[in-house]
PDB file of all heavy atoms in Angstrom:
ATOM      1  N   ARG H 279       7.933   4.182  16.840  1.00  0.00           N
ATOM      2  CA  ARG H 279       6.545   3.781  16.573  1.00  0.00           C
ATOM      3  C   ARG H 279       6.509   2.524  15.714  1.00  0.00           C
ATOM      4  O   ARG H 279       5.718   1.621  15.957  1.00  0.00           O
ATOM      5  CB  ARG H 279       5.795   4.918  15.868  1.00  0.00           C
ATOM      6  CG  ARG H 279       5.478   6.093  16.772  1.00  0.00           C
ATOM      7  CD  ARG H 279       4.077   5.960  17.362  1.00  0.00           C
ATOM      8  NE  ARG H 279       3.871   6.837  18.509  1.00  0.00           N
ATOM      9  CZ  ARG H 279       3.427   8.090  18.415  1.00  0.00           C
ATOM     10  NH1 ARG H 279       3.168   8.608  17.236  1.00  0.00           N
ATOM     11  NH2 ARG H 279       3.248   8.820  19.501  1.00  0.00           N
ATOM     12  N   TRP H 284       2.709  -3.158  14.185  1.00  0.00           N
ATOM     13  CA  TRP H 284       2.565  -4.396  13.408  1.00  0.00           C
ATOM     14  C   TRP H 284       3.816  -4.651  12.578  1.00  0.00           C
ATOM     15  O   TRP H 284       4.267  -5.782  12.435  1.00  0.00           O
ATOM     16  CB  TRP H 284       1.327  -4.316  12.510  1.00  0.00           C
ATOM     17  CG  TRP H 284       1.353  -3.119  11.593  1.00  0.00           C
ATOM     18  CD1 TRP H 284       0.978  -1.845  11.914  1.00  0.00           C
ATOM     19  CD2 TRP H 284       1.814  -3.070  10.245  1.00  0.00           C
ATOM     20  NE1 TRP H 284       1.186  -1.006  10.847  1.00  0.00           N
ATOM     21  CE2 TRP H 284       1.676  -1.739   9.805  1.00  0.00           C
ATOM     22  CE3 TRP H 284       2.298  -4.019   9.351  1.00  0.00           C
ATOM     23  CZ2 TRP H 284       2.034  -1.334   8.521  1.00  0.00           C
ATOM     24  CZ3 TRP H 284       2.652  -3.617   8.072  1.00  0.00           C
ATOM     25  CH2 TRP H 284       2.509  -2.286   7.668  1.00  0.00           C
ATOM     26  N   ARG H 287       6.626  -5.953  14.670  1.00  0.00           N
ATOM     27  CA  ARG H 287       6.313  -7.324  15.072  1.00  0.00           C
ATOM     28  C   ARG H 287       6.642  -8.285  13.924  1.00  0.00           C
ATOM     29  O   ARG H 287       7.190  -9.370  14.141  1.00  0.00           O
ATOM     30  CB  ARG H 287       4.832  -7.407  15.427  1.00  0.00           C
ATOM     31  CG  ARG H 287       4.518  -8.325  16.580  1.00  0.00           C
ATOM     32  CD  ARG H 287       3.040  -8.280  16.887  1.00  0.00           C
ATOM     33  NE  ARG H 287       2.643  -7.167  17.711  1.00  0.00           N
ATOM     34  CZ  ARG H 287       1.552  -6.416  17.489  1.00  0.00           C
ATOM     35  NH1 ARG H 287       0.769  -6.658  16.460  1.00  0.00           N
ATOM     36  NH2 ARG H 287       1.256  -5.439  18.293  1.00  0.00           N
ATOM     37  N   ASN H 288       6.317  -7.863  12.702  1.00  0.00           N
ATOM     38  CA  ASN H 288       6.663  -8.691  11.544  1.00  0.00           C
ATOM     39  C   ASN H 288       8.169  -8.862  11.423  1.00  0.00           C
ATOM     40  O   ASN H 288       8.655  -9.968  11.185  1.00  0.00           O
ATOM     41  CB  ASN H 288       6.124  -8.062  10.259  1.00  0.00           C
ATOM     42  CG  ASN H 288       4.639  -8.314  10.068  1.00  0.00           C
ATOM     43  OD1 ASN H 288       4.080  -9.209  10.699  1.00  0.00           O
ATOM     44  ND2 ASN H 288       4.005  -7.543   9.232  1.00  0.00           N
ATOM     45  N   TRP H 290      10.414  -8.650  13.752  1.00  0.00           N
ATOM     46  CA  TRP H 290      10.913  -9.479  14.845  1.00  0.00           C
ATOM     47  C   TRP H 290      10.617 -10.957  14.590  1.00  0.00           C
ATOM     48  O   TRP H 290      11.444 -11.841  14.832  1.00  0.00           O
ATOM     49  CB  TRP H 290      10.290  -9.026  16.159  1.00  0.00           C
ATOM     50  CG  TRP H 290      11.103  -9.387  17.346  1.00  0.00           C
ATOM     51  CD1 TRP H 290      11.725 -10.582  17.586  1.00  0.00           C
ATOM     52  CD2 TRP H 290      11.422  -8.543  18.454  1.00  0.00           C
ATOM     53  NE1 TRP H 290      12.392 -10.530  18.781  1.00  0.00           N
ATOM     54  CE2 TRP H 290      12.220  -9.300  19.330  1.00  0.00           C
ATOM     55  CE3 TRP H 290      11.085  -7.233  18.792  1.00  0.00           C
ATOM     56  CZ2 TRP H 290      12.695  -8.778  20.531  1.00  0.00           C
ATOM     57  CZ3 TRP H 290      11.559  -6.730  19.979  1.00  0.00           C
ATOM     58  CH2 TRP H 290      12.359  -7.491  20.830  1.00  0.00           C
ATOM     59  N   GLU H 294      13.187 -14.183  14.184  1.00  0.00           N
ATOM     60  CA  GLU H 294      13.105 -15.400  14.969  1.00  0.00           C
ATOM     61  C   GLU H 294      13.024 -16.633  14.083  1.00  0.00           C
ATOM     62  O   GLU H 294      13.697 -17.621  14.333  1.00  0.00           O
ATOM     63  CB  GLU H 294      11.867 -15.355  15.870  1.00  0.00           C
ATOM     64  CG  GLU H 294      12.038 -14.520  17.094  1.00  0.00           C
ATOM     65  CD  GLU H 294      13.074 -15.104  18.032  1.00  0.00           C
ATOM     66  OE1 GLU H 294      13.106 -16.340  18.155  1.00  0.00           O
ATOM     67  OE2 GLU H 294      13.835 -14.331  18.619  1.00  0.00           O
ATOM     68  N   ASP H 295      12.163 -16.577  13.097  1.00  0.00           N
ATOM     69  CA  ASP H 295      11.949 -17.746  12.251  1.00  0.00           C
ATOM     70  C   ASP H 295      11.259 -17.304  10.966  1.00  0.00           C
ATOM     71  O   ASP H 295      10.043 -17.132  10.931  1.00  0.00           O
ATOM     72  CB  ASP H 295      11.068 -18.766  13.004  1.00  0.00           C
ATOM     73  CG  ASP H 295      11.056 -20.110  12.300  1.00  0.00           C
ATOM     74  OD1 ASP H 295      11.101 -20.127  11.058  1.00  0.00           O
ATOM     75  OD2 ASP H 295      10.996 -21.140  12.989  1.00  0.00           O
ATOM     76  N   ILE H 297      10.756 -18.839   8.254  1.00  0.00           N
ATOM     77  CA  ILE H 297       9.874 -19.837   7.635  1.00  0.00           C
ATOM     78  C   ILE H 297       8.497 -19.785   8.276  1.00  0.00           C
ATOM     79  O   ILE H 297       7.469 -19.721   7.586  1.00  0.00           O
ATOM     80  CB  ILE H 297      10.492 -21.247   7.760  1.00  0.00           C
ATOM     81  CG1 ILE H 297      11.654 -21.357   6.771  1.00  0.00           C
ATOM     82  CG2 ILE H 297       9.451 -22.324   7.493  1.00  0.00           C
ATOM     83  CD1 ILE H 297      12.343 -22.684   6.771  1.00  0.00           C
ATOM     84  N   GLU H 300       6.596 -16.761   7.168  1.00  0.00           N
ATOM     85  CA  GLU H 300       6.013 -16.906   5.845  1.00  0.00           C
ATOM     86  C   GLU H 300       4.724 -17.726   5.898  1.00  0.00           C
ATOM     87  O   GLU H 300       3.744 -17.413   5.224  1.00  0.00           O
ATOM     88  CB  GLU H 300       7.035 -17.571   4.923  1.00  0.00           C
ATOM     89  CG  GLU H 300       6.874 -17.157   3.494  1.00  0.00           C
ATOM     90  CD  GLU H 300       8.076 -17.548   2.655  1.00  0.00           C
ATOM     91  OE1 GLU H 300       9.128 -17.867   3.243  1.00  0.00           O
ATOM     92  OE2 GLU H 300       7.929 -17.551   1.431  1.00  0.00           O
ATOM     93  N   VAL H 301       4.746 -18.761   6.731  1.00  0.00           N
ATOM     94  CA  VAL H 301       3.566 -19.620   6.859  1.00  0.00           C
ATOM     95  C   VAL H 301       2.374 -18.851   7.434  1.00  0.00           C
ATOM     96  O   VAL H 301       1.218 -19.180   7.182  1.00  0.00           O
ATOM     97  CB  VAL H 301       3.899 -20.850   7.735  1.00  0.00           C
ATOM     98  CG1 VAL H 301       2.654 -21.616   8.121  1.00  0.00           C
ATOM     99  CG2 VAL H 301       4.840 -21.765   6.992  1.00  0.00           C
ATOM    100  N   MET H 302       2.654 -17.793   8.197  1.00  0.00           N
ATOM    101  CA  MET H 302       1.562 -16.963   8.713  1.00  0.00           C
ATOM    102  C   MET H 302       0.986 -16.063   7.621  1.00  0.00           C
ATOM    103  O   MET H 302       0.068 -15.287   7.866  1.00  0.00           O
ATOM    104  CB  MET H 302       2.046 -16.085   9.875  1.00  0.00           C
ATOM    105  CG  MET H 302       2.526 -16.847  11.087  1.00  0.00           C
ATOM    106  SD  MET H 302       1.283 -17.959  11.735  1.00  0.00           S
ATOM    107  CE  MET H 302       2.121 -19.523  11.547  1.00  0.00           C
ATOM    108  N   GLY H 303       1.552 -16.143   6.428  1.00  0.00           N
ATOM    109  CA  GLY H 303       1.023 -15.362   5.314  1.00  0.00           C
ATOM    110  C   GLY H 303       1.788 -14.082   5.056  1.00  0.00           C
ATOM    111  O   GLY H 303       1.354 -13.238   4.282  1.00  0.00           O
ATOM    112  N   ARG H 426       9.540  -4.531  24.450  1.00  0.00           N
ATOM    113  CA  ARG H 426       8.591  -4.406  23.339  1.00  0.00           C
ATOM    114  C   ARG H 426       7.190  -4.373  23.904  1.00  0.00           C
ATOM    115  O   ARG H 426       6.985  -4.390  25.098  1.00  0.00           O
ATOM    116  CB  ARG H 426       8.752  -5.589  22.399  1.00  0.00           C
ATOM    117  CG  ARG H 426       8.308  -6.888  23.015  1.00  0.00           C
ATOM    118  CD  ARG H 426       8.751  -8.021  22.166  1.00  0.00           C
ATOM    119  NE  ARG H 426       9.918  -8.636  22.739  1.00  0.00           N
ATOM    120  CZ  ARG H 426       9.862  -9.595  23.639  1.00  0.00           C
ATOM    121  NH1 ARG H 426       8.721 -10.041  24.070  1.00  0.00           N
ATOM    122  NH2 ARG H 426      10.940 -10.139  24.115  1.00  0.00           N
ATOM    123  N   SER H 428       3.086  -2.633  23.040  1.00  0.00           N
ATOM    124  CA  SER H 428       2.499  -1.519  22.310  1.00  0.00           C
ATOM    125  C   SER H 428       2.950  -0.210  22.943  1.00  0.00           C
ATOM    126  O   SER H 428       3.564  -0.183  23.993  1.00  0.00           O
ATOM    127  CB  SER H 428       0.997  -1.625  22.361  1.00  0.00           C
ATOM    128  OG  SER H 428       0.600  -1.606  23.705  1.00  0.00           O
TER     129      SER H 428
ATOM    130  N   PHE U 341       6.296 -25.264   0.482  1.00  0.00           N
ATOM    131  CA  PHE U 341       7.730 -25.252   0.766  1.00  0.00           C
ATOM    132  C   PHE U 341       8.529 -26.016  -0.270  1.00  0.00           C
ATOM    133  O   PHE U 341       9.583 -25.586  -0.686  1.00  0.00           O
ATOM    134  CB  PHE U 341       8.017 -25.853   2.140  1.00  0.00           C
ATOM    135  CG  PHE U 341       7.768 -24.884   3.219  1.00  0.00           C
ATOM    136  CD1 PHE U 341       6.733 -25.066   4.102  1.00  0.00           C
ATOM    137  CD2 PHE U 341       8.546 -23.747   3.311  1.00  0.00           C
ATOM    138  CE1 PHE U 341       6.490 -24.146   5.086  1.00  0.00           C
ATOM    139  CE2 PHE U 341       8.310 -22.815   4.286  1.00  0.00           C
ATOM    140  CZ  PHE U 341       7.281 -23.014   5.180  1.00  0.00           C
ATOM    141  N   ASN U 365      -1.136 -19.691   2.480  1.00  0.00           N
ATOM    142  CA  ASN U 365      -1.842 -19.267   3.689  1.00  0.00           C
ATOM    143  C   ASN U 365      -3.008 -18.352   3.346  1.00  0.00           C
ATOM    144  O   ASN U 365      -4.083 -18.455   3.930  1.00  0.00           O
ATOM    145  CB  ASN U 365      -0.875 -18.566   4.644  1.00  0.00           C
ATOM    146  CG  ASN U 365      -1.575 -18.142   5.919  1.00  0.00           C
ATOM    147  OD1 ASN U 365      -2.227 -17.123   5.964  1.00  0.00           O
ATOM    148  ND2 ASN U 365      -1.473 -18.982   6.934  1.00  0.00           N
ATOM    149  N   HIS U 366      -2.802 -17.475   2.381  1.00  0.00           N
ATOM    150  CA  HIS U 366      -3.880 -16.555   2.022  1.00  0.00           C
ATOM    151  C   HIS U 366      -5.045 -17.251   1.316  1.00  0.00           C
ATOM    152  O   HIS U 366      -6.157 -16.736   1.290  1.00  0.00           O
ATOM    153  CB  HIS U 366      -3.339 -15.399   1.179  1.00  0.00           C
ATOM    154  CG  HIS U 366      -2.590 -14.399   2.005  1.00  0.00           C
ATOM    155  ND1 HIS U 366      -3.223 -13.372   2.670  1.00  0.00           N
ATOM    156  CD2 HIS U 366      -1.266 -14.296   2.320  1.00  0.00           C
ATOM    157  CE1 HIS U 366      -2.321 -12.673   3.342  1.00  0.00           C
ATOM    158  NE2 HIS U 366      -1.126 -13.213   3.152  1.00  0.00           N
ATOM    159  N   ARG U 377       8.042 -24.496  15.594  1.00  0.00           N
ATOM    160  CA  ARG U 377       8.682 -23.282  15.077  1.00  0.00           C
ATOM    161  C   ARG U 377       7.952 -22.048  15.570  1.00  0.00           C
ATOM    162  O   ARG U 377       7.325 -21.335  14.795  1.00  0.00           O
ATOM    163  CB  ARG U 377       8.656 -23.263  13.550  1.00  0.00           C
ATOM    164  CG  ARG U 377       9.284 -24.438  12.874  1.00  0.00           C
ATOM    165  CD  ARG U 377       9.540 -24.113  11.436  1.00  0.00           C
ATOM    166  NE  ARG U 377      10.749 -23.368  11.313  1.00  0.00           N
ATOM    167  CZ  ARG U 377      11.780 -23.753  10.560  1.00  0.00           C
ATOM    168  NH1 ARG U 377      11.709 -24.855   9.870  1.00  0.00           N
ATOM    169  NH2 ARG U 377      12.857 -23.014  10.486  1.00  0.00           N
ATOM    170  N   LYS U 380      10.349 -17.581  19.255  1.00  0.00           N
ATOM    171  CA  LYS U 380      10.698 -17.917  20.638  1.00  0.00           C
ATOM    172  C   LYS U 380      10.816 -16.733  21.581  1.00  0.00           C
ATOM    173  O   LYS U 380      10.414 -16.817  22.730  1.00  0.00           O
ATOM    174  CB  LYS U 380      12.003 -18.712  20.672  1.00  0.00           C
ATOM    175  CG  LYS U 380      11.868 -20.121  20.143  1.00  0.00           C
ATOM    176  CD  LYS U 380      13.014 -20.991  20.631  1.00  0.00           C
ATOM    177  CE  LYS U 380      12.976 -22.362  19.994  1.00  0.00           C
ATOM    178  NZ  LYS U 380      13.306 -22.316  18.547  1.00  0.00           N
ATOM    179  N   THR U 381      11.413 -15.617  21.128  1.00  0.00           N
ATOM    180  CA  THR U 381      11.599 -14.505  22.067  1.00  0.00           C
ATOM    181  C   THR U 381      10.449 -13.508  22.026  1.00  0.00           C
ATOM    182  O   THR U 381      10.457 -12.520  22.743  1.00  0.00           O
ATOM    183  CB  THR U 381      12.926 -13.757  21.827  1.00  0.00           C
ATOM    184  OG1 THR U 381      12.856 -13.125  20.558  1.00  0.00           O
ATOM    185  CG2 THR U 381      14.110 -14.698  21.872  1.00  0.00           C
ATOM    186  N   LEU U 382       9.469 -13.766  21.189  1.00  0.00           N
ATOM    187  CA  LEU U 382       8.244 -12.977  21.278  1.00  0.00           C
ATOM    188  C   LEU U 382       7.378 -13.579  22.374  1.00  0.00           C
ATOM    189  O   LEU U 382       7.493 -14.769  22.668  1.00  0.00           O
ATOM    190  CB  LEU U 382       7.478 -12.999  19.945  1.00  0.00           C
ATOM    191  CG  LEU U 382       7.752 -11.867  18.960  1.00  0.00           C
ATOM    192  CD1 LEU U 382       9.125 -12.048  18.353  1.00  0.00           C
ATOM    193  CD2 LEU U 382       6.710 -11.842  17.865  1.00  0.00           C
ATOM    194  N   GLU U 386       2.198 -12.049  21.539  1.00  0.00           N
ATOM    195  CA  GLU U 386       2.732 -11.501  20.283  1.00  0.00           C
ATOM    196  C   GLU U 386       2.786 -12.544  19.174  1.00  0.00           C
ATOM    197  O   GLU U 386       2.606 -12.217  17.997  1.00  0.00           O
ATOM    198  CB  GLU U 386       4.131 -10.930  20.520  1.00  0.00           C
ATOM    199  CG  GLU U 386       4.101  -9.592  21.233  1.00  0.00           C
ATOM    200  CD  GLU U 386       5.463  -9.171  21.745  1.00  0.00           C
ATOM    201  OE1 GLU U 386       6.357 -10.034  21.880  1.00  0.00           O
ATOM    202  OE2 GLU U 386       5.619  -7.978  22.020  1.00  0.00           O
ATOM    203  N   GLN U 393      -2.516 -10.285  12.770  1.00  0.00           N
ATOM    204  CA  GLN U 393      -2.388  -8.988  12.098  1.00  0.00           C
ATOM    205  C   GLN U 393      -2.200  -9.118  10.588  1.00  0.00           C
ATOM    206  O   GLN U 393      -2.411  -8.160   9.863  1.00  0.00           O
ATOM    207  CB  GLN U 393      -1.243  -8.182  12.705  1.00  0.00           C
ATOM    208  CG  GLN U 393       0.131  -8.670  12.304  1.00  0.00           C
ATOM    209  CD  GLN U 393       1.221  -7.948  13.080  1.00  0.00           C
ATOM    210  OE1 GLN U 393       0.967  -7.362  14.110  1.00  0.00           O
ATOM    211  NE2 GLN U 393       2.432  -7.977  12.573  1.00  0.00           N
ATOM    212  N   GLN U 394      -1.805 -10.298  10.132  1.00  0.00           N
ATOM    213  CA  GLN U 394      -1.642 -10.454   8.685  1.00  0.00           C
ATOM    214  C   GLN U 394      -2.960 -10.255   7.951  1.00  0.00           C
ATOM    215  O   GLN U 394      -2.971  -9.929   6.768  1.00  0.00           O
ATOM    216  CB  GLN U 394      -1.061 -11.828   8.334  1.00  0.00           C
ATOM    217  CG  GLN U 394       0.243 -12.176   9.030  1.00  0.00           C
ATOM    218  CD  GLN U 394       1.313 -11.113   8.860  1.00  0.00           C
ATOM    219  OE1 GLN U 394       1.384 -10.438   7.843  1.00  0.00           O
ATOM    220  NE2 GLN U 394       2.137 -10.942   9.878  1.00  0.00           N
ATOM    221  N   SER U 407      -0.334   3.985  12.226  1.00  0.00           N
ATOM    222  CA  SER U 407       0.559   3.450  13.259  1.00  0.00           C
ATOM    223  C   SER U 407       1.675   4.444  13.588  1.00  0.00           C
ATOM    224  O   SER U 407       2.137   4.513  14.721  1.00  0.00           O
ATOM    225  CB  SER U 407       1.132   2.088  12.873  1.00  0.00           C
ATOM    226  OG  SER U 407       1.622   2.087  11.575  1.00  0.00           O
ATOM    227  N   LEU U 408       2.119   5.235  12.593  1.00  0.00           N
ATOM    228  CA  LEU U 408       3.141   6.250  12.872  1.00  0.00           C
ATOM    229  C   LEU U 408       2.607   7.348  13.774  1.00  0.00           C
ATOM    230  O   LEU U 408       3.292   7.826  14.663  1.00  0.00           O
ATOM    231  CB  LEU U 408       3.655   6.865  11.570  1.00  0.00           C
ATOM    232  CG  LEU U 408       4.688   6.042  10.814  1.00  0.00           C
ATOM    233  CD1 LEU U 408       5.064   6.719   9.507  1.00  0.00           C
ATOM    234  CD2 LEU U 408       5.927   5.826  11.664  1.00  0.00           C
ATOM    235  N   GLU U 418      -5.499  -2.139  17.545  1.00  0.00           N
ATOM    236  CA  GLU U 418      -4.543  -2.933  18.318  1.00  0.00           C
ATOM    237  C   GLU U 418      -5.223  -3.605  19.510  1.00  0.00           C
ATOM    238  O   GLU U 418      -4.983  -4.770  19.808  1.00  0.00           O
ATOM    239  CB  GLU U 418      -3.404  -2.039  18.822  1.00  0.00           C
ATOM    240  CG  GLU U 418      -2.333  -1.764  17.795  1.00  0.00           C
ATOM    241  CD  GLU U 418      -1.516  -3.004  17.445  1.00  0.00           C
ATOM    242  OE1 GLU U 418      -0.877  -3.562  18.342  1.00  0.00           O
ATOM    243  OE2 GLU U 418      -1.543  -3.416  16.269  1.00  0.00           O
ATOM    244  N   LYS U 422      -5.676  -7.590  20.296  1.00  0.00           N
ATOM    245  CA  LYS U 422      -5.240  -8.216  21.542  1.00  0.00           C
ATOM    246  C   LYS U 422      -6.367  -9.026  22.177  1.00  0.00           C
ATOM    247  O   LYS U 422      -6.154 -10.146  22.645  1.00  0.00           O
ATOM    248  CB  LYS U 422      -4.746  -7.158  22.527  1.00  0.00           C
ATOM    249  CG  LYS U 422      -3.283  -6.860  22.340  1.00  0.00           C
ATOM    250  CD  LYS U 422      -2.770  -5.843  23.331  1.00  0.00           C
ATOM    251  CE  LYS U 422      -1.429  -5.317  22.824  1.00  0.00           C
ATOM    252  NZ  LYS U 422      -1.013  -4.092  23.485  1.00  0.00           N
TER     253      LYS U 422
END
Side-chain angles (χ1 to χ4, degrees):
Chain H
R279 288 266 164 89
W284 56 277
R287 217 177 278 137
N288 281 342
W290 204 316
E294 281 294 321
D295 192 325
I297 286 181
E300 209 166 345
V301 169
M302 297 303 119
R426 68 192 102 87
S428 59
Chain U
F341 280 112
N365 181 278
H366 284 275
R377 303 196 82 123
K380 289 200 186 70
T381 66
L382 267 72
E386 284 167 341
Q393 75 187 19
Q394 305 307 328
S407 47
L408 280 177
E418 279 292 299
K422 272 182 196 164

